[in-house]
Amino acid sequence: MINIKNLHASVEGNEILKGIDLRINAGEVHAIMGPNGSGKSTLASVLAGKEDYEITEGSVSFDGKNLLDMDADIRAKEGLFLAFQYPVEIPGVSNVNFLKLALNEIRAYRGQELMTAREFLTQLKEKSALVELDGKLKDRSVNEGFSGGEKKRNDIFQMAMLEPRFAIMDETDSGLDIDALRIVAKGVNSMRNKDRSFLIITHYQRLLDYIKPDFVHVLSDGKIVKTGGPELALKLEEKGYDWIKEEVA
Amino acid sequence: MSLTETVSIMNVFEAFQPATHSGSTRIDKVRAEAKAALELLPIPGRKTEAWKYTPVTPLVTHAWKPAKEGAEVDLSTLDIPHMDAYRMVFVDGYFRAECSDEHLPENVVLLPMSYAKDAEKENFDSVYGKQADHQKDLFIALNTAYASNGVFLRLKKNSVLDKPVHVIHVYTQADTAVMTRNIIIAEQGSKGEMIHSSIHRAKPIHSNVVTEVRVEDNAHFVLDKLQGGTDSSFHFSGEEVFQGRDASTTINTITLAGAWTRNEPHIRLKGSNSICYLNGAYFPTGKELIDNHTVIDHLVPHCESHELYKGVVYQQSKGVFNGKVFVRPDAQKTNAFQQNANIVMSEQASMNSKPELEIYADDVKCSHGSTTGQLDREALFYLQCRGLNYVAAKQMLVHAFVGEVVDRLTSLELKEYIWRKLEEKLA
């Protein structure tokens, strides 16, 4: 599904990603862990199409297409989704109107029929209930007045509405209490299927108790330095990152 | 001030000499005074604080001609779609009876000034030239010296206007200057709304509209100004409001386009427990300049003023906001709020914003805020990540930003019209 080869990225002349290789197949859930400053969020931003980064080397193909050539909205239309580490508040932009417009732009791009108002409302109701945000979205601006947890749940709700094929969760779990974490995980798990892949970026092993990954990668200083199964996350939780750094050195 | 400057402005407008006798001694008197003032008033330049960012040269040096009566004009596109209003149309400053509504409710007087000066002589004389200061302000003096027509609206005591009056000014002749004078009297206990559209269809054109408004005790009046100029239109708009007690006045100024636009709403709160709202939105593009200079004068206790101006400044255009609020020594318990926020969309665009509060009373609540920044890039990226293309995402954020102002208008049809015009402009 997504194939990252030797990806290098810099911001203002500082190289953050120093040669990432990662292949994610349809239906797989990959977790990326790593210490602060290792480049986790940069990877998420680069994949989603944020323009602050300069790609100096490497390639990313998404179902055979060159992802790095696409604008952020085209990536979304092609089926990529980013759940933000810090979802922004956008005063004056209605949650519901914005999502409806986005959904229909995506559907038009994919050659699907546009959603009727009735269909949209049915889905809205069903999927906002999934993340326990029902009744909190109507007549409100995007994330305005939402708590940290509600903002993250809103992102998961949007993911459920937009039905991407590949979703990146950028530290969706950080700052969440255990109840919010459970709700977020429930949302993600309900969407797992053989065609949809996930890249879960996290600082803590805790999330992986709720969302079982197929693979765990350790990112350190802009490179993936170790790859394993779920047991790797447990080992990291127990021993920290230093032993890997030593191993790599 | 140099002698040549004063000579030139009289030269420019020489051809405008109206008939020596207007048929109204009041008009004749203020015209003579205004002309005398024009001989003396300096042309404001860069060193004049109130005109620092807004050069007036083209307005007072271009060889403006008076417009001729009877221009052909397609009036079908002037209306606000689905808007139910009493319509009054002026073409190049001339009243067009055939496109204006004749039948109005009994409790309303809506006449062109040319009729009202006789038919409503007493009321007319009580306002005309009494609120707008033609002795001190160059553009008001110009207007007073040469205005030939305009609207006279009087809402009779305790009357409620069932739908807005829509005054449409179309300007169709290149190189003409048109001075228009309006008088509005909202008598005690009355309520009404007037929409004033200025539409420029040739270029260049110099239009100058001065409106004297008397909002009497317990009356409620709303004025919506829609300005749709061209890339070589020059438009001055001054509103001189006297407001009585327990009354409210709202002026909404929406400037959609225009090479040079200067708005000067000036509200004097003369009766206690009165409230006024000034709202404005402006969208200069290209090399346009839009300047909003507002004055709210709290003269008596227990009044409120609320001011919200928002602008999106594109390309090489300029925006200017200057909000003056006076709280006079007697005006205790005043609440005055002012907010100006701007988004500058390009590096060549500029915005000058200046709140000016002069407070001479000690028991008051006054606040002001001025922000100028760029479009929120994080928000833009967020929307794009959800599948909105760059242009749609940008428009959505602009819409959200100025929505706070546009949503303050009461008429749904008017709001939709504004959004549609904006979309056309920014497409």
Side-chain angles (χ1 to χ4, degrees):
Chain A
M1 162 136 345
I2 193 146
N3 197 0
I4 306 172
K5 279 185 187 162
N6 191 31
L7 185 65
H8 290 252
S10 317
V11 61
E12 289 165 2
N14 294 325
E15 189 167 57
I16 314 267
L17 301 183
K18 301 178 178 172
I20 304 259
D21 287 289
L22 180 63
R23 188 191 172 92
I24 299 173
N25 296 314
E28 290 176 354
V29 175
H30 290 238
I32 288 192
M33 301 182 72
N36 286 328
S38 57
K40 300 189 302 285
S41 282
T42 299
L43 178 62
S45 297
V46 165
L47 291 177
K50 199 164 190 190
E51 283 174 354
D52 303 356
Y53 300 93
E54 198 195 340
I55 313 296
T56 50
E57 223 185 312
S59 66
V60 180
S61 78
F62 184 38
D63 281 338
K65 294 179 187 168
N66 182 354
L67 186 79
L68 300 177
D69 266 359
M70 301 172 193
D71 287 337
D73 65 299
I74 301 293
R75 298 181 197 203
K77 286 163 181 153
E78 287 285 344
L80 185 142
F81 183 90
L82 171 66
F84 284 78
Q85 184 176 5
Y86 305 110
V88 291
E89 293 188 20
I90 316 182
V93 170
S94 140
N95 259 316
V96 173
N97 290 347
F98 133 70
L99 195 59
K100 196 168 163 189
L101 191 66
L103 191 62
N104 276 335
E105 265 208 41
I106 288 175
R107 291 176 78 103
Y109 181 88
R110 292 178 188 165
Q112 296 164 323
E113 257 182 59
L114 299 192
M115 233 182 213
T116 63
R118 178 188 287 263
E119 265 180 286
F120 178 80
L121 285 175
T122 312
Q123 288 231 9
L124 180 91
K125 212 172 162 189
E126 183 190 314
K127 288 174 174 168
S128 59
L130 184 71
V131 291
E132 298 175 25
L133 273 181
D134 28 339
K136 284 203 152 186
L137 294 164
K138 264 198 162 176
D139 305 322
R140 284 182 76 163
S141 296
V142 177
N143 289 328
E144 199 178 34
F146 276 14
S147 68
E150 283 171 332
K151 287 178 189 171
K152 302 273 174 126
R153 277 148 60 191
N154 192 15
D155 260 16
I156 301 303
F157 157 70
Q158 291 176 15
M159 176 171 80
M161 291 295 285
L162 300 179
E163 300 185 322
R165 288 177 302 131
F166 174 53
I168 304 162
M169 321 257 102
D170 185 9
E171 300 208 21
T172 297
D173 56 323
S174 35
L176 291 191
D177 63 35
I178 205 76
D179 291 328
L181 186 71
R182 196 180 39 75
I183 295 168
V184 163
K186 187 177 82 180
V188 172
N189 286 329
S190 74
M191 290 188 67
R192 283 181 79 160
N193 65 33
K194 65 177 174 42
D195 299 317
R196 188 173 283 131
S197 317
F198 290 87
L199 179 62
I200 292 168
I201 292 170
T202 179
H203 199 65
Y204 308 102
Q205 181 272 336
R206 189 183 60 162
L207 175 67
L208 305 180
D209 289 343
Y210 294 88
I211 306 171
K212 280 272 174 270
D214 299 304
F215 299 95
V216 174
H217 310 276
V218 179
L219 190 67
S220 176
D221 194 25
K223 281 183 179 171
I224 289 176
V225 293
K226 197 165 183 68
T227 294
E231 73 288 348
L232 179 59
L234 291 167
K235 194 169 174 187
L236 289 169
E237 180 79 357
E238 193 188 325
K239 294 189 168 180
Y241 290 104
D242 290 345
W243 64 277
I244 292 186
K245 285 181 186 166
E246 281 162 25
E247 220 179 77
V248 174
Chain B
M1 178 190 80
S2 74
L3 191 62
T4 48
E5 278 172 337
T6 49
V7 168
S8 75
I9 192 165
M10 293 308 281
N11 285 346
V12 166
F13 292 96
E14 202 173 16
F16 285 72
Q17 298 299 332
T20 326
H21 299 291
S22 62
S24 153
T25 47
R26 177 75 204 147
I27 294 180
D28 288 345
K29 179 174 179 289
V30 294
R31 267 185 189 165
E33 286 171 5
K35 279 185 191 165
L38 280 178
E39 305 255 11
L40 301 170
L41 282 169
I43 312 273
R46 285 165 62 97
K47 288 182 184 156
T48 318
E49 184 60 28
W51 293 92
K52 200 170 166 186
Y53 307 105
T54 307
V56 304
T57 323
L59 283 91
V60 292
T61 56
H62 186 82
W64 301 110
K65 300 178 300 192
K68 294 189 176 70
E69 192 166 4
E72 288 286 324
V73 59
D74 173 16
L75 297 167
S76 64
T77 55
L78 299 178
D79 280 322
I80 294 165
H82 315 296
M83 179 95 204
D84 192 13
Y86 299 111
R87 185 165 87 154
M88 193 171 212
V89 176
F90 291 83
V91 178
D92 300 312
Y94 295 98
F95 174 57
R96 285 291 180 86
E98 77 277 15
C99 337
S100 302
D101 284 324
E102 275 178 63
H103 301 289
L104 276 106
E106 269 188 9
N107 49 16
V108 179
V109 179
L110 177 67
L111 292 169
M113 197 177 93
S114 46
Y115 296 24
K117 67 183 196 312
D118 303 320
E120 285 275 324
K121 186 174 185 323
E122 201 176 316
N123 288 309
F124 182 89
D125 289 355
S126 72
V127 177
Y128 196 88
K130 296 258 171 90
Q131 300 181 191
D133 188 346
H134 51 268
Q135 308 280 7
K136 286 198 183 127
D137 185 304
L138 180 76
F139 287 96
I140 290 175
L142 259 182
N143 183 287
T144 310
Y146 302 115
S148 47
N149 216 337
V151 175
F152 176 92
L153 172 66
R154 180 165 67 91
L155 305 176
K156 293 183 187 169
K157 190 175 173 181
N158 295 332
S159 66
V160 175
L161 196 55
D162 59 338
K163 55 188 184 184
V165 169
H166 186 195
V167 178
I168 303 171
H169 274 274
V170 202
Y171 304 99
T172 68
Q173 297 172 45
D175 298 310
T176 60
V178 178
M179 312 286 159
T180 302
R181 190 62 164 253
N182 304 318
I183 288 178
I184 296 165
I185 300 171
E187 289 184 353
Q188 193 181 319
S190 67
K191 185 172 189 254
E193 178 169 0
M194 180 166 118
I195 302 164
H196 194 282
S197 305
S198 306
I199 301 163
H200 294 74
R201 286 206 173 153
K203 42 197 180 178
I205 284 168
H206 173 181
S207 50
N208 175 324
V209 181
V210 171
T211 306
E212 291 176 287
V213 188
R214 186 169 78 210
V215 180
E216 297 182 357
D217 294 351
N218 206 28
H220 303 277
F221 189 73
V222 178
L223 175 64
D224 308 299
K225 296 192 295 165
L226 283 183
Q227 301 166 335
T230 64
D231 57 9
S232 61
S233 62
F234 299 87
H235 185 69
F236 174 87
S237 175
E239 293 75 38
E240 299 290 334
V241 182
F242 281 14
Q243 189 174 329
R245 61 174 302 155
D246 310 314
S248 77
T249 305
T250 303
I251 299 180
N252 302 311
T253 303
I254 312 291
T255 312
L256 296 163
W260 187 103
T261 306
R262 167 91 163 197
N263 286 298
E264 292 191 9
H266 182 181
I267 301 208
R268 271 154 284 199
L269 296 163
K270 296 166 81 92
S272 65
N273 194 34
S274 231
I275 182 162
C276 77
Y277 301 89
L278 289 184
N279 303 309
Y282 41 97
F283 313 89
T285 58
K287 291 184 173 172
E288 293 175 340
L289 181 154
I290 300 174
D291 178 349
N292 286 292
H293 257 71
T294 68
V295 180
I296 296 173
D297 201 344
H298 285 267
L299 295 151
V300 295
H302 296 287
C303 288
E304 272 181 45
S305 62
H306 298 264
E307 201 171 356
L308 178 69
Y309 275 73
K310 281 188 156 190
V312 187
V313 189
Y314 293 85
Q315 293 143 1
Q316 295 121 55
S317 68
K318 282 184 192 166
V320 180
F321 174 80
N322 190 105
K324 203 172 245 181
V325 177
F326 292 107
V327 181
R328 305 290 178 184
D330 287 342
Q332 299 294 0
K333 305 284 179 192
T334 286
N335 281 333
F337 305 101
Q338 181 188 90
Q339 179 71 35
N340 174 232
N342 305 285
I343 294 179
V344 176
M345 298 292 269
S346 99
E347 285 188 10
Q348 288 87 45
S350 70
M351 180 69 214
N352 285 289
S353 173
K354 187 176 168 196
E356 265 186 278
L357 274 61
E358 288 188 27
I359 301 168
Y360 302 102
D362 53 13
D363 186 9
V364 300
K365 251 197 278 182
C366 295
S367 71
H368 64 89
S370 168
T371 59
T372 297
Q374 292 169 319
L375 212 56
D376 181 347
R377 292 182 62 230
E378 296 295 322
L380 198 59
F381 180 61
Y382 188 92
L383 295 178
Q384 285 178 279
C385 275
R386 295 296 173 260
L388 294 186
N389 68 61
Y390 180 69
V391 174
K394 218 163 75 168
Q395 275 190 0
M396 190 169 258
L397 292 178
V398 166
H399 198 294
F401 177 73
V402 294
E404 197 188 351
V405 174
V406 178
D407 283 346
R408 293 189 176 193
L409 303 181
T410 42
S411 152
L412 200 63
E413 293 81 6
L414 191 54
K415 283 192 247 193
E416 275 175 9
Y417 178 78
I418 291 165
W419 289 128
R420 195 166 54 75
K421 285 282 166 196
L422 258 189
E423 256 171 49
E424 283 170 20
K425 183 180 185 187
L426 304 179

